[in-house]
C-alpha cells in the first residue's frame, strides 16, 4: 500500500529555472527607460551637491546619522521631525494603492528594485550566455572551457554590479566624494565596508540567484495586492474570448471555412518564453505574474508576423472579456470611487505635509519644570520655580534668543550661567544647527496671590530674525 | 502479540528501527539525535577547550587560571576608566586652573563645572540636602537666597571645604548657640516671651498672654550679640536672619521654644579631605547656581 505521508511533501514546488527570452516592443522600451532612470538616480544622486552655507554639508541627499540630521535638497530634518518620513511612507502606500486600482501591479512590473535589478542582471546573463535557447542548451551540456568562462564572466559582472549597489548605498550616509576616496584608499570606516558587503550579498543573491522566487514566495505585496484589487483595475490580460480555441494559422483558416469557430492564439508559447517569472499569462491573473507587459510585446510581434490584429494580450479586465463573449461593449472605468478616494487621500496627506513644511519653525523651545524642589520661598517671601529650557536653532547661523515669561503679575525670569541681556530680558545664544539647554529661574513677588498651580507661558524671540516660539508650563506655589 | 515485529530491530508500525531494548513487550524506538545537533554539540566541546586556554576558566584554591590573552573584566574596566580620565583631562585641567569667577564667566568651563558639580552633589550632598538641594528641616535649602554662612562663591567654597562645626577640621566654621533653657539661663516663661518677640519681629502673630516688652528686653540681652538687635542675623557667626520668610527649624512657638531651650547646632562634614579641589570647585559653582548665589 503506497500511502504518501502529507508531512513529507515539500511546502512549495521545486524551483524551475526560468530562461526569459529577449523581446522588443513598447513595454520593453519603457522598462529600459525606467531602468536607466531609476538606476541613474540611485547611483549618481549622492554626488549631487547642494549649497547650504558654511556650517552644513553640501550633499543634496544625505542621512547624517552621526549628527542626527537628514538632508534632502532644501529640507533639513531633525530626529524629532521623523514624522515627515511617516507622511512620505503613507503617501507611498497610497500611490501604490492608486497604481494598483488603475493598472494592477505597475509597481511590480516596472518600478520595484527587485524587477529593475533582475532586468539588469538578465541583460548581463544574455550578454555572456546568449538568448533563451542557447542558455538552455549550454546548461544541459557538460562543462567546457566556453561554458566556464561565460559563467565566470557573468557572475563576475554580477558581483561588480552588486558591489557597486552597496557602494552607492553607503554614499547616502556620508559625504560621497570623501567616502569614495576613503573606500579607494581603504581608510573608510569599517561599517561602510560591512554595509557594502551586506548589500553586495543581497543584490547578488536576490537579483542573480533568487529572482522571480522573491516575487512569488517572499514578497507580501502580491497577496495584499490581490486583496486590494477590484474588477475594474486594468491587468495584463489574455483575451480568451478572441484566443480560444488555440489552433495553428492553417487550421484556423480551414475551420473558419467550415464555419467552425477558431481562436487567434496559435499556441506559439512566446508569451511564456519571454516571461521573467515563467508563468503562462493564458492561465489568467495569478500570483506569479508581475504584469511587466513583456508577453504583450511578444504576442504583438507574433500577431504582426502572421498578419493577425495585435492586442490578443493587452491591458484589460476579465469583466471586459466576459462582456465581449456576451456580445456587449467593453467598459473602461478609470474614474471610480476607489481611484477618486485614493487620489483625494494622496492630495490631503501631500497637502498637509507641504503645509507643515512651509510653516514649520526654524526655532524650538521645550520647558521642563524642576521637581526637586517644586518651588522655593525666597527671604522676601517671593516664590521661585526653576525650569530647564531647551532652545533649538535649526538655522545654519548662530542665533540669540531673548527669553520672556508671561501669565502672572510681576513675574520675572533669569537664567543661570554666563549671559547677556537685551531690554532686561536674558539672552541665550544657540550655536548653528544645534540646541542648547539652560536653567532658568522664574520668580513671582510675595504680594501676588498664587494657587497651587497656574499656567505660565515661556517665549523665546530671535533678536535678529524675529521668529517667536512659545511653550506652556506651570508655576507651582505652596 | 509480536505479529508486527517482522525483524528483530525493526518496528513495522512506525517504520523505525529499534534499539533492541524491550520491557514488557514495549520496545524502544531508535530515534538518535539529529546529526546537525550532534555536530553543533561536539563543536561546542571543542570550542570550550579553546576557551579554557584563552580565557580565565578554572578556579584554583586561591586564584584561577588566567588564560593566555590575560583578559580580566577588572582590567577592561580600568582601561575604560583610564580612557575616561584622559578624555576629561583637558576639561578638568581647565577647571583646576581657572578661578571660580573665571569659571562662572566662561560658558564652556561653566557647563563642565555644572555637569561635574551635579554628579558630585548627587553622590555626596543629596543625602542631607536632597536631590536638587531642596533641603529639609535642619538641612538648608540651597535654592533660596538665605545663607547662614554666606552665599558668595568664596564663602560657599569655604563651607564645602571645611564643613560646619566639624570636629575633624581645624578651620571648620564654628559658632555655638547656648541652650538657654537646658542650662537654666532663662526660665520657661522667659523663653516663651522671647519666642513671641521673635515672631513679632518676623511679622508673625503672637500669643496674647506673652509679654512682648520683656521678650524684647531678654532678646537684646541674650540674643542680639549674634542675631543682631533687629534679628537680622550675622553670617560671621552663622546666626540666621530671624525676620525673613525662610526658617530652618520652624517659626511656630513650639519650634522656637525648642530651639531656645536646647539650641540647634547643625553639623556638616568637611569635604576638603575627601574630594579633590577641582570637585570642590565644581560643587561650589553648582550650589552657587542653584538659584541663591550672591
Amino acid at each position: 500500500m503506497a500511502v504518501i505521508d502529507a508531512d513529507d511533501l515539500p511546502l512549495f514546488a521545486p524551483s524551475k529555472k526560468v530562461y526569459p527570452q529577449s523581446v522588443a516592443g513598447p513595454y520593453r522600451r519603457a522598462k529600459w527607460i525606467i531602468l536607466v532612470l531609476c538606476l541613474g538616480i540611485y547611483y549618481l544622486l549622492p554626488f549631487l551637491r547642494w549649497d547650504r552655507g558654511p556650517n552644513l554639508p553640501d550633499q543634496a541627499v544625505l542621512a547624517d546619522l552621526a549628527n542626527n540630521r537628514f538632508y534632502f535638497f532644501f529640507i533639513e530634518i531633525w530626529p524629532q521631525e521623523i514624522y515627515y518620513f511617516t507622511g512620505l511612507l503613507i503617501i507611498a502606500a497610497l500611490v501604490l494603492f492608486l497604481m494598483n486600482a488603475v493598472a494592477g501591479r505597475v509597481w511590480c512590473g516596472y518600478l520595484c528594485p527587485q524587477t529593475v535589478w533582475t532586468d539588469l542582471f538578465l541583460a548581463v546573463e544574455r550578454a555572456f550566455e546568449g538568448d533563451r535557447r542557447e542558455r538552455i542548451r549550454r546548461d544541459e551540456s557538460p562543462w567546457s572551457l566556453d561554458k566556464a568562462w561565460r559563467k565566470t564572466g557573468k557572475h563576475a559582472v554580477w558581483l561588480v554590479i552588486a558591489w557597486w549597489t552597496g557602494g552607492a548605498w553607503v554614499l547616502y550616509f556620508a559625504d560621497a566624494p570623501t567616502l569614495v576616496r576613503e573606500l579607494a584608499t581603504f581608510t573608510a570606516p569599517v561599517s561602510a565596508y560591512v554595509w557594502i558587503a551586506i548589500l553586495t550579498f543581497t543584490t547578488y543573491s536576490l537579483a542573480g540567484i533568487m529572482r522571480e522566487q522573491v516575487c512569488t514566495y517572499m514578497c507580501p505585496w502580491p497577496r495584499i495586492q490581490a486583496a486590494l484589487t477590484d474588477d475594474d483595475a486594468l491587468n495584463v490580460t489574455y483575451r480568451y474570448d478572441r484566443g480560444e480555441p488555440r489552433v495553428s494559422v492553417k487550421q484556423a483558416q480551414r475551420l473558419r471555412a467550415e464555419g467552425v469557430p477558431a481562436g487567434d492564439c496559435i499556441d506559439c508559447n512566446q508569451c511564456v518564453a519571454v516571461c521573467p517569472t515563467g508563468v503562462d499569462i493564458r492561465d489568467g491573473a495569478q500570483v506569479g505574474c508581475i504584469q511587466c507587459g513583456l508577453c504583450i510585446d511578444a504576442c504583438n510581434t507574433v500577431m504582426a508576423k502572421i498578419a493577425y490584429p495585435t492586442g490578443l494580450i493587452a491591458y484589460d479586465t476579465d469583466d471586459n472579456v466576459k462582456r465581449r463573449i456576451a456580445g456587449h461593449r467593453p467598459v473602461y472605468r478609470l474614474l471610480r470611487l476607489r481611484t477618486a478616494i485614493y487620489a483625494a487621500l494622496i492630495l490631503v496627506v501631500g497637502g498637509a505635509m507641504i503645509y507643515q513644511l512651509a510653516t514649520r519653525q526654524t526655532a524650538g523651545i521645550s520647558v521642563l519644570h524642576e521637581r526637586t524642589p517644586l518651588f522655593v520661598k525666597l527671604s522676601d517671601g517671593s516664590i521661585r520655580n526653576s525650569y530647564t529650557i531647551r532652545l533649538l536653532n535649526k538655522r545654519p547661523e548662530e542665533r540669540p534668543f531673548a527669553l520672556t515669561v508671561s501669565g502672572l503679575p510681576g513675574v520675572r525670569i533669569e537664567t543661570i550661567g554666563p549671559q547677556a541681556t537685551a531690554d532686561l530680558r536674558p539672552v541665550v545664544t544657540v550655536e548653528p544647527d544645534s540646541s542648547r539647554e539652560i536653567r532658568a529661574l522664574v520668580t513671582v513677588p510675595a504680594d501676588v496671590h498664587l494657587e497651587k498651580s497656574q499656567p505660565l507661558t515661556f517665549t523665546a524671540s530671535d533678536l535678529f530674525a524675529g521668529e517667536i516660539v512659545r511653550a506652556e508650563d506651570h508655576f507651582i506655589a505652596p | 502479540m509480536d505479529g508486527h515485529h517482522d525483524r528483530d530491530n525493526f518496528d513495522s508500525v512506525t517504520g523505525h528501527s529499534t534499539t533492541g531494548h524491550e520491557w514488557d513487550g514495549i520496545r524502544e524506538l531508535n530515534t538518535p539525535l539529529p546529526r546537525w545537533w550532534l555536530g553543533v554539540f561536539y563543536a561546542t566541546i571543542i570550542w570550550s577547550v579553546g576557551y579554557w586556554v584563552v580565557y580565565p576558566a578554572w578556579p584554583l584554591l586561591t586564584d584561577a587560571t588566567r588564560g593566555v590573552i590575560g583578559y580580566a573584566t577588572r582590567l577592561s574596566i580600568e582601561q575604560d576608566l583610564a580612557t575616561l580620565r584622559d578624555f576629561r583631562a583637558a576639561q578638568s585641567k581647565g577647571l583646576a586652573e581657572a578661578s571660580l569667577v573665571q569659571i562662572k564667566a566662561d560658558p564652556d568651563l561653566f557647563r563642565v563645572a555644572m555637569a561635574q558639580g551635579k554628579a558630585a552633589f548627587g553622590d555626596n550632598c543629596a543625602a542631607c540636602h536632597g536631590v536638587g538641594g531642596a533641603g529639609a528641616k535642619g538641612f538648608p535649602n540651597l535654592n533660596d537666597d538665605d545663607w547662614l554662612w554666606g552665599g558668595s562663591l568664596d564663602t560657599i567654597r569655604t563651607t564645602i571645604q571645611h564643613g560646619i562645626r566639624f570636629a575633624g577640621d581645624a578651620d571648620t566654621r564654628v559658632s555655638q548657640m547656648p541652650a538657654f533653657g537646658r542650662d537654666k539661663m532663662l526660665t520657661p516663661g522667659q523663653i516663651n516671651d522671647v519666642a513671641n518677640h521673635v515672631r513679632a519681629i518676623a511679622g508673625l502673630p503672637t500669643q496674647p498672654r506673652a509679654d512682648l516688652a520683656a521678650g524684647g528686653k531678654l532678646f537684646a540681652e541674650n540674643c542680639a550679640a549674634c542675631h543682631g538687635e533687629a534679628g537680622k542675623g550675622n553670617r560671621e557667626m552663622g546666626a540666621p536672619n530671624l525676620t525673613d520668610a525662610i526658617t530652618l527649624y520652624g517659626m511656630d512657638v513650639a519650634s522656637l521654644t525648642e530651639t531656645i531651650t536646647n539650641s540647634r547646632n547643625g553639623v556638616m562634614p568637611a569635604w576638603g579631605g575627601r574630594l579633590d579641589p577641582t570637585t570642590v570647585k565644581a560643587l561650589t559653582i553648582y550650589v552657587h547656581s542653584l538659584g541663591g548665589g550672591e
Side-chain angles (χ1 to χ4, degrees):
Chain A
M1 188 174 68
V3 177
I4 297 167
D5 190 349
D7 290 342
D8 291 339
L9 282 176
L11 291 174
F12 55 89
S15 68
K16 218 171 57 193
K17 189 163 181 191
V18 181
Y19 296 90
Q21 183 175 292
S22 66
V23 63
Y27 290 102
R28 179 64 268 182
R29 206 173 311 123
K31 275 170 68 76
W32 283 132
I33 292 168
I34 290 169
L35 183 148
V36 169
L37 280 177
C38 288
L39 292 183
I41 290 172
Y42 175 74
Y43 287 119
L44 298 177
L45 192 56
F47 296 98
L48 190 60
R49 302 288 100 183
W50 188 271
D51 185 29
R52 295 190 181 83
N55 297 314
L56 294 175
D58 64 344
Q59 187 159 321
V61 179
L62 176 67
D64 191 350
L65 297 183
N67 298 312
N68 288 330
R69 298 285 183 276
F70 178 79
Y71 302 96
F72 184 82
F73 294 94
F74 58 92
I75 302 170
E76 181 191 337
I77 306 272
W78 284 39
Q80 61 265 44
E81 296 171 312
I82 204 77
Y83 52 80
Y84 283 118
F85 283 97
T86 315
L88 270 185
L89 288 174
I90 291 172
I91 289 182
L94 289 171
V95 169
L96 198 58
F97 296 167
L98 180 62
M99 286 196 295
N100 181 48
V102 170
R105 292 168 65 174
V106 176
W107 171 259
C108 302
Y110 303 90
L111 296 164
C112 178
Q114 175 64 22
T115 295
V116 170
W117 260 278
T118 301
D119 243 13
L120 182 64
F121 273 46
L122 272 172
V124 172
E125 184 167 283
R126 219 168 271 137
F128 276 95
E129 299 188 41
D131 211 350
R132 175 180 161 86
R133 284 166 199 282
E134 206 183 327
R135 296 210 298 275
I136 294 174
R137 201 174 55 240
R138 190 173 286 108
D139 274 2
E140 283 166 353
S141 66
W143 279 96
S144 65
L145 198 61
D146 174 68
K147 183 171 173 176
W149 88 257
R150 284 176 193 277
K151 292 272 181 198
T152 314
K154 175 185 80 174
H155 286 285
V157 174
W158 278 0
L159 276 170
V160 169
I161 296 173
W163 176 85
W164 201 356
T165 305
W169 176 258
V170 299
L171 295 184
Y172 285 92
F173 296 87
D175 182 57
T178 314
L179 186 57
V180 167
R181 211 174 306 123
E182 288 174 351
L183 286 171
T185 53
F186 297 102
T187 52
V190 176
S191 59
Y193 295 105
V194 170
W195 277 105
I196 291 176
I198 291 172
L199 272 116
T200 305
F201 170 75
T202 53
T203 311
Y204 173 77
S205 52
L206 293 180
I209 317 284
M210 297 167 78
R211 289 189 188 166
E212 80 286 346
Q213 301 205 47
V214 175
C215 311
T216 318
Y217 295 114
M218 291 166 65
C219 181
W221 176 234
R223 277 86 187 165
I224 301 168
Q225 187 269 342
L228 280 172
T229 192
D230 63 7
D231 293 339
D232 288 311
L234 291 175
N235 278 312
V236 175
T237 306
Y238 166 63
R239 288 167 167 161
Y240 57 88
D241 57 311
R242 206 190 116 191
E244 300 292 322
R246 304 170 195 174
V247 287
S248 69
V249 179
K250 277 181 185 161
Q251 208 181 348
Q253 282 171 348
R254 206 186 65 229
L255 285 172
R256 285 187 187 122
E258 294 169 7
V260 181
D264 278 355
C265 176
I266 59 168
D267 213 5
C268 65
N269 266 329
Q270 282 302 293
C271 52
V272 181
V274 299
C275 180
T277 64
V279 301
D280 188 342
I281 189 64
R282 294 170 299 177
D283 295 341
Q286 51 202 296
V287 103
C289 172
I290 59 168
Q291 295 184 11
C292 58
L294 291 185
C295 50
I296 302 180
D297 281 344
C299 188
N300 284 347
T301 309
V302 172
M303 291 291 123
K305 259 183 207 157
I306 59 175
Y308 278 15
T310 58
L312 179 56
I313 304 173
Y315 271 100
D316 205 344
T317 69
D318 263 356
D319 275 11
N320 280 341
V321 174
K322 287 175 191 144
R323 285 192 190 102
R324 275 192 291 264
I325 290 174
H328 302 307
R329 293 172 58 83
V331 179
Y332 296 97
R333 296 199 306 149
L334 187 64
L335 186 67
R336 53 189 197 275
L337 191 60
R338 184 184 290 262
T339 53
I341 288 176
Y342 287 150
L345 282 174
I346 292 170
L347 287 179
V348 168
V349 179
M353 278 185 66
I354 290 171
Y355 175 78
Q356 270 288 327
L357 269 175
T359 59
R360 77 175 185 151
Q361 293 189 299
T362 57
I365 181 173
S366 58
V367 176
L368 188 68
H369 195 288
E370 181 68 60
R371 286 152 199 264
T372 54
L374 277 171
F375 58 83
V376 179
K377 186 187 262 190
L378 299 185
S379 53
D380 64 356
S382 53
I383 303 295
R384 171 185 284 172
N385 283 202
S386 42
Y387 301 85
T388 302
I389 297 178
R390 184 172 279 280
L391 287 170
L392 265 60
N393 172 17
K394 298 180 188 175
R395 296 203 49 79
E397 63 268 348
E398 193 177 79
R399 291 161 87 188
F401 291 97
L403 280 176
T404 51
V405 63
S406 58
L408 286 166
V411 64
R412 62 177 199 277
I413 184 171
E414 58 195 297
T415 56
I416 293 293
Q419 60 170 277
T421 51
D423 309 332
L424 298 174
R425 298 172 299 176
V427 171
V428 181
T429 305
V430 188
E431 285 169 12
D433 196 48
S434 63
S435 68
R436 178 158 172 209
E437 202 176 81
I438 197 139
R439 195 174 144 89
L441 308 171
V442 174
T443 312
V444 175
D447 53 0
V448 175
H449 172 74
L450 290 170
E451 303 292 328
K452 270 197 175 316
S453 170
Q454 38 264 304
L456 199 62
T457 305
F458 290 82
T459 309
S461 336
D462 185 335
L463 285 180
F464 298 146
E467 188 174 355
I468 291 171
V469 284
R470 289 191 179 84
E472 303 289 329
D473 209 297
H474 288 87
F475 190 87
I476 312 290
Chain B
M1 66 178 286
D2 283 1
H4 62 268
H5 296 162
D6 41 3
R7 282 205 310 277
D8 263 354
N9 286 335
F10 187 79
D11 181 67
S12 63
V13 173
T14 58
H16 266 293
S17 62
T18 69
T19 60
H21 302 158
E22 182 175 338
W23 296 271
D24 300 336
I26 299 169
R27 308 206 300 166
E28 186 186 26
L29 296 182
N30 183 17
T31 50
L33 289 165
R35 292 217 162 258
W36 67 264
W37 194 95
L38 271 181
V40 172
F41 179 59
Y42 293 138
T44 56
I45 292 175
I46 295 165
W47 177 266
S48 72
V49 173
Y51 194 95
W52 297 339
V53 177
V54 174
Y55 283 97
W58 290 102
L60 305 174
L61 275 181
T62 56
D63 199 6
T65 56
R66 292 285 180 188
V68 291
I69 61 166
Y71 173 82
T73 45
R74 161 70 60 183
L75 273 179
S76 70
I77 282 185
E78 277 167 7
Q79 278 165 7
D80 288 352
L81 288 175
T83 314
L84 188 66
R85 270 195 295 274
D86 290 347
F87 174 71
R88 285 185 179 163
Q91 296 175 335
S92 296
K93 194 158 168 281
L95 278 195
E97 284 169 359
S99 73
L100 288 167
V101 176
Q102 284 168 334
I103 296 172
K104 194 84 185 174
D106 183 295
D108 291 331
L109 285 176
F110 180 73
R111 251 179 255 186
V112 174
M114 283 298 278
Q116 283 198 17
K118 187 174 185 181
F121 191 89
D123 288 348
N124 301 291
C125 316
C128 293
H129 288 286
V131 178
K137 185 176 177 181
F139 302 99
N141 185 339
L142 303 175
N143 290 268
D144 63 32
D145 59 348
D146 193 17
W147 299 90
L148 294 174
W149 299 92
S152 69
L153 285 168
D154 284 331
T155 51
I156 291 174
R157 173 159 65 179
T158 306
T159 303
I160 297 173
Q161 182 84 21
H162 299 293
I164 297 166
R165 301 183 192 97
F166 183 64
D169 191 296
D171 297 325
T172 192
R173 294 194 183 278
V174 185
S175 70
Q176 194 170 10
M177 175 171 163
F180 291 96
R182 197 174 62 212
D183 295 343
K184 313 280 187 233
M185 297 161 75
L186 296 174
T187 65
Q190 288 173 316
I191 290 173
N192 191 59
D193 291 343
V194 174
N196 275 285
H197 171 74
V198 170
R199 283 181 64 81
I201 57 176
L204 299 167
T206 55
Q207 293 168 318
R209 60 190 163 78
D211 186 344
L212 289 178
K217 191 161 169 290
L218 286 166
F219 186 89
E221 287 166 2
N222 293 288
C223 316
C226 292
H227 288 285
E229 281 183 30
K232 296 286 184 189
N234 181 353
R235 287 176 175 181
E236 292 295 313
M237 321 286 269
N241 183 347
L242 303 173
T243 62
D244 65 18
I246 296 167
T247 170
L248 188 55
Y249 292 100
M251 286 293 278
D252 55 297
V253 174
S255 296
L256 284 169
T257 303
E258 164 68 20
T259 303
I260 300 165
T261 304
N262 289 320
S263 165
R264 310 269 191 185
N265 285 299
V267 175
M268 170 175 147
W271 294 94
R274 300 202 214 176
L275 305 175
D276 62 85
T278 312
T279 308
V280 171
K281 262 188 197 172
L283 271 175
T284 305
I285 297 288
Y286 177 75
V287 171
H288 188 261
S289 303
L290 279 174
E294 293 167 349

